[in-house]
Amino acid sequence: MGIIVQKFGGTSVADPQKIHNVAKAVIREKENGNDVVVVVSAMGHTTDYLVKLANEVTCNPDSREMDMLLSTGEQVSIALLAMAIQANGYKAVSMNGQQVGIITECIHSKARIVDIKTEKLQKHLNAGKIIVVAGFQGVTPEGEITTLGRGGSDTSAVAIAAALNAQRCDIYTDVEGVYATDPRIVPNVKKASEISYEEMLELARVGANVLHPRSVETAKQFNVPLRVRSSFNLDNLGTLIIGVDNMEIYKPVAGVAADSSQVRILLSNLPDIPGTAAKLFGALAKNNISVDMIIQSLANNGTNSIAFTVASDDLNNTIETLNSVESSKSAEILIDKDIAKVSIVGAGMVDRPGIAADMFKSLAQKDINIKMISTSEIKISCLVDKNKASDAIKALCKEFGLESDEKAVVKGDLPNL
Amino acid sequence: MGIIVQKFGGTSVADPQKIHNVAKAVIREKENGNDVVVVVSAMGHTTDYLVKLANEVTCNPDSREMDMLLSTGEQVSIALLAMAIQANGYKAVSMNGQQVGIITECIHSKARIVDIKTEKLQKHLNAGKIIVVAGFQGVTPEGEITTLGRGGSDTSAVAIAAALNAQRCDIYTDVEGVYATDPRIVPNVKKASEISYEEMLELARVGANVLHPRSVETAKQFNVPLRVRSSFNLDNLGTLIIGVDNMEIYKPVAGVAADSSQVRILLSNLPDIPGTAAKLFGALAKNNISVDMIIQSLANNGTNSIAFTVASDDLNNTIETLNSVESSKSAEILIDKDIAKVSIVGAGMVDRPGIAADMFKSLAQKDINIKMISTSEIKISCLVDKNKASDAIKALCKEFGLESDEKAVVKGDLPNL
């Protein structure tokens, strides 16, 4: 018995019937003897509708007024969900970000939470009430309404769970849990029953988008057990995301993901003098361009080659920056857009030295050429041709035993983050 | 130069184009050199839509959650209007009831304002900003969101004007001002350029519904000059509502109105003993039934007759109450539903003794039978057959010079209160 924080996204509260289904899931947890705080997003396409309205008024809406506008979406959901819970004979109370005291920085449209007041929450819980909290929104110490940006509602839920020292935070989505890879590529992929924060973060960084990294990082920081589970199948416990130290077993490879949003840039004929790389990457960093993979190789003729990847969106900015740096002005620049980064992630790989070799061998067997490699403690990434990405994922799932006998459940779109 | 408070109803902000029209009216007042606070209602049918949603969730929504739900409607309007004003190059800031500090009692769905904090309002005005405030809503000292019920947005505007010691409060509607009677009955009725709070209140009480009496009462209490004007014709100054003492001239009859929402109950054969009336009306009062007109007459046979009117909605409750009182159990009860109360209202009638006689004569000339009469200092009401009400109004407008040479402007529905 303890406090359970539940979070339901916009698709789960899209209409009155669905709101009643959510009420059932909430009451079920209350009936288990827990205190329940439930965090909800705006109904279905409400946010899109409000953004459209704003754009009809002005092409450049002020971000403060945008937050004022968008925060109404969640306030509608919480009132309706509280009513639905009450209609079933349970005590419930809705609270917006201002009323709870979800204190944020004063940065509109992407504020970070700095504090959550627990006094009122605790008072309502002590009175036996189910609390329905508006996700995605907060308030500055001066009373300005803010929104949290991408992954906001999940982050609200995790942060409230941390503040209340909750037993667990359950993120209800339209998938059944965390799969080892995208079920649309490998239909019989295994669902993880447990995965570590670190693995989840690496998977999110390399292309899996079940949870926004921000909420996982918050959960990791405050050691809040997170459960990703289906709002359509309440009997399925989904995937528990916890610290590595708390895991019972962890596999060398927990998941496989591909990211096709990068481009590779190859600079050849660079002067082989100290500080060249530092100057290049210093200039890129100064222009807020994140560089992902980097390889440097010495050519025979005493010149250097450097290859690296950046987000496609940053390509133009990257080329401009390179042209402004003295040492790369004379270099030859080659751009490769048809690439994908395929990664395997697993907290167990640190203890098993052969994993990298197994990955390379598996790709080679499928005639997939590896263009770049990068590794971290719990991740190995290989750059391959974009049209080989699906084949690579399938081969790697087979290689590392991530297939099951059952077909994974895929419910339309990915969850509303 | 001073502070002007403007109020726009839901039809005035029903879509982005209309919101831009409101922005123009706001900027016009700012350009006149005034500080401007603008109060708005929810867009068009938003409130109806939200009520419908709630009713789809439960047939008996909690009033606290209903206020949480409905208060989002105005918050959407204020954000969009602030954006529209900003798009025209003016500084604007939106504020909900909680942010302003519109403090109310903790009575959901019909809270009364007890205080309005002016600190933040004044700060924004000093910074040259146009402030856009959500009407119809407030907050209790404990931070609970409340709504003000019928006439709420008008009342918000008047109360803010009073708190800021504003020069004037302009209520923008879809009529051109206050007409002496309903222009749908008398198309060439005169529009008043000035009318007193008292006359406006009496007109509202007897069936005219340009402004909710609550906002007029607040304006009277704090002596806030109110202007009712058209949001479609900004050059028309509409009708100024002020204290009698401040009026330049006032006519014996300012307006004529009819109210068809009452029924007449005739009790005959009542015992002619002291206390009968007291017992009857005491019982009705105890059951929260408001009695309007009352006539008592002594019949020849030593019994009494009492006739009175109540709202049609209270009819069943009234009959039940009468049957429970000892002294009326033996009485004969006659109910007349086909009645209308026709009233003339004017602050000047107190100085002119012939007005009542003129009214009776005018009705008699049209063969309209008067069933009951009641008078106050500035009002005379006659009960007539319902199907004669229009004829009565026409005759009285002619009698008291309330016709003009021009056709009154009628824009669809009456304003959103």
Side-chain angles (χ1 to χ4, degrees), chain A residues 6-9 11-12 18 21-22 24-26 28-29 168-179 191-192 210-211 226-240 408-415:
Chain A
Q6 302 181 306
K7 183 262 170 177
F8 292 88
T11 48
S12 300
K18 285 184 177 160
N21 291 342
V22 169
K24 274 189 206 127
V26 173
R28 188 180 159 121
E29 207 60 78
R168 206 175 65 237
C169 180
D170 286 356
I171 309 283
Y172 285 81
T173 75
D174 50 5
V175 294
E176 300 254 323
V178 178
Y179 289 105
K191 193 189 73 198
V210 175
L211 285 178
L226 260 187
R227 200 181 269 292
V228 176
R229 57 194 297 182
S230 166
S231 53
F232 302 100
N233 180 0
L234 301 181
D235 291 326
N236 188 324
L237 288 178
T239 301
L240 185 65
V409 179
V410 188
K411 294 249 183 196
D413 292 328
L414 284 165

Side-chain angles (χ1 to χ4, degrees), chain B residues 121-413:
Chain B
L121 290 172
Q122 206 67 65
K123 201 189 80 188
H124 286 309
L125 288 180
N126 292 346
K129 291 180 196 166
I130 293 167
I131 308 177
V132 187
V133 176
F136 183 65
Q137 63 183 243
V139 65
T140 70
E142 293 74 32
E144 292 287 294
I145 295 173
T146 52
T147 63
L148 308 182
R150 290 218 52 189
S153 289
D154 287 354
T155 306
S156 302
V158 173
I160 288 171
L164 288 173
N165 203 9
Q167 186 180 318
R168 205 176 64 237
C169 179
D170 286 357
I171 310 283
Y172 285 81
T173 76
D174 50 6
V175 294
E176 300 254 324
V178 178
Y179 289 105
T181 197
D182 188 337
R184 286 169 299 193
I185 297 171
V186 182
N188 63 335
V189 62
K190 268 190 187 162
K191 195 189 73 197
S193 59
E194 273 189 0
I195 193 169
S196 69
Y197 299 126
E198 293 77 5
E199 288 167 320
M200 194 67 214
L201 282 171
E202 285 288 6
L203 281 173
R205 278 199 200 97
V206 295
N209 55 350
V210 175
L211 284 178
H212 196 274
R214 189 175 171 188
S215 56
V216 182
E217 263 158 18
T218 309
K220 183 183 170 211
Q221 189 183 346
F222 296 100
N223 209 19
V224 176
L226 260 185
R227 201 181 268 292
V228 176
R229 57 194 298 180
S230 166
S231 52
F232 302 99
N233 180 358
L234 301 181
D235 290 326
N236 187 326
L237 288 177
T239 300
L240 185 65
I241 308 170
I242 50 178
V244 172
D245 300 344
N246 296 324
M247 289 180 75
E248 290 175 20
I249 43 161
Y250 43 93
K251 288 180 278 188
V253 177
V256 181
D259 175 6
S260 305
S261 70
Q262 298 190 343
V263 289
R264 182 174 76 136
I265 293 163
L266 174 64
L267 297 176
S268 55
N269 216 22
L270 283 170
D272 181 26
I273 48 174
T276 303
K279 274 180 200 151
L280 279 179
F281 294 109
L284 292 170
K286 216 171 131 190
N287 286 339
N288 265 322
I289 299 164
S290 290
V291 174
D292 184 18
M293 303 170 94
I294 302 175
I295 290 180
Q296 175 163 340
S297 59
L298 196 64
N300 286 334
N301 57 357
T303 61
N304 232 336
S305 294
I306 293 181
F308 60 90
T309 62
V310 296
S312 307
D313 292 346
D314 283 333
L315 179 58
N316 292 340
N317 199 359
T318 303
I319 301 299
E320 274 173 39
T321 306
L322 292 177
N323 287 334
S324 72
V325 177
E326 193 59 42
S327 47
S328 60
K329 271 184 180 162
S330 60
E332 202 180 323
I333 301 181
L334 271 171
I335 296 161
D336 187 356
K337 294 181 179 175
D338 291 323
I339 54 152
K341 185 175 68 170
V342 175
S343 309
I344 58 173
V345 172
M349 72 175 59
V350 69
D351 305 326
R352 304 261 209 104
I355 299 296
D358 289 345
M359 181 182 192
F360 305 150
K361 180 199 72 192
S362 172
L363 294 177
Q365 281 171 351
K366 294 279 171 190
D367 270 340
I368 298 168
N369 191 33
I370 301 172
K371 299 181 163 193
M372 289 173 90
I373 298 169
S374 78
T375 60
S376 78
E377 229 173 87
I378 65 164
K379 181 189 75 177
I380 305 169
S381 299
C382 295
L383 209 64
V384 301
D385 281 338
K386 196 179 269 180
N387 60 15
K388 300 277 182 153
S390 290
D391 286 348
I393 287 176
K394 285 175 196 158
L396 293 170
C397 281
K398 197 176 198 91
E399 175 71 32
F400 296 108
L402 300 174
E403 294 171 319
S404 80
D405 299 336
E406 281 179 29
K407 208 167 163 296
V409 179
V410 187
K411 293 251 185 196
D413 291 329

Side-chain angles (χ1 to χ4, degrees), chain B residues 60-80:
Chain B
N60 186 23
D62 179 58
S63 63
R64 178 196 183 274
E65 299 304 332
M66 208 61 194
D67 281 358
M68 178 70 89
L69 181 68
L70 295 184
S71 65
T72 61
E74 287 77 27
Q75 193 167 321
V76 168
S77 311
I78 58 173
L80 294 175

Side-chain angles (χ1 to χ4, degrees), chain A residues 20 57 64-65 94 98-99, chain B residues 20 57 65 94 98-99 143:
Chain A
H20 272 289
V57 168
R64 178 196 182 274
E65 298 305 331
S94 68
Q98 211 163 6
Q99 290 176 319
Chain B
H20 272 290
V57 168
E65 299 304 332
S94 69
Q98 211 163 6
Q99 291 177 319

Side-chain angles (χ1 to χ4, degrees), chain A residues 15 46 48 116-117 125 141 165 196 265 324 332 394 406:
Chain A
D15 59 50
T46 305
D48 294 343
I116 292 185
K117 308 286 182 200
L125 289 180
N165 203 11
S196 68
I265 293 161
S324 72
E332 201 178 324
K394 285 175 195 160
E406 281 178 29

Side-chain angles (χ1 to χ4, degrees), chain A residues 150 177-185 195 199-214 216 254-261 341 343 345 393 414-415 417:
Chain A
R150 290 218 52 189
V178 178
Y179 289 105
T181 198
D182 188 337
R184 287 169 298 192
I185 296 171
I195 193 168
E199 288 167 321
M200 194 68 215
L201 283 171
E202 286 288 8
L203 281 173
R205 279 199 198 94
V206 297
N209 54 351
V210 175
L211 285 178
H212 196 274
R214 191 175 168 187
V216 182
V256 180
D259 175 6
S260 304
S261 70
K341 185 174 69 167
S343 308
V345 172
I393 287 176
L414 284 165
L417 289 180

